[in-house]
Amino acid sequence: MRYGLISDIHGNLEALETVLAGLNNLQVDAILCLGDVVGYGPDPDECVKLVQAHTTVCLMGNHDDAILGDTDLSFFSYVAREAIEWTSEHLNPDSKRFLLQLPYTYELDNYLFVHASPHEPHEWNYITSWEGAEQSFQAFHQQACFVGHSHSPLVVGRNEHGAMQLHQSYPISFENNHRYLINIGSVGQPRDSNPAAAFGILDTAKQEYTLMRAMYNVVKTQKKIREAGLPGFLADRLAEGR
Ligand code: ZN
């Protein structure tokens, strides 16, 4: 089976449509979404509808959780908070109902999927150090764990002796006795200095993962962000992938 993996769409309809068209061309068997369908972008309802129609699983992200109202918004930056409040006001009840019931983790074959970290799926931790990576490896038993959340693609491999290394070239063939922590990047707001939408392909027969990038109409999304009255920084950052 070949799975398309998407995450952190953040209400960016142009990016999502481009990625879904790419996955359709690649004829994947199913699409899994690792969360943050909304927040930041101008088209949250449209993105929820497309995710509902095209994915078999969608996980809860911290922005999805926050617009539902019971998160302490002081954990978010000023622009994130503004966007969460805007999204919460504009999102229709059907979309909210969909987001409310999203699970935090999903397991498939020998793989685990979670929005932020397998260590504490409800706590929205960022994995930013070798110690954090090790803590994550201790928290799952599958061969690979796929995450989103940071918006920067990254693959850490760990051998049977506990030695970790970064993998920078794709595709990555899973080796026996090695385990992997894989950040698939963001569809709607990449932050690795590359503005192209990021997504992944997991081939369970070949035991292989690859990162994909697709350029979309950034200018159109930027215009919509400004017209919606969302913070201008959210439009500016898309052009630079930051
Ligand atoms: Zn996100």
Side-chain angles (χ1 to χ4, degrees), residues 3 7 18 33 62-63 102 141 167 171 218 220 236-237:
Y3 294 90
S7 189
T18 300
C33 176
N62 53 315
H63 283 253
L102 298 179
H141 60 83
H167 291 268
V218 171
K220 188 172 173 186
D236 298 339
R237 70 188 305 173

Side-chain angles (χ1 to χ4, degrees), residues 8-10 35-36 40 62-63 115 149-151 186 189 191:
D8 297 273
I9 296 153
H10 286 295
D36 274 3
Y40 296 132
N62 53 315
H63 283 253
H115 181 69
H149 195 42
S150 76
H151 300 203
S186 167
Q189 195 193 80
R191 292 181 197 157

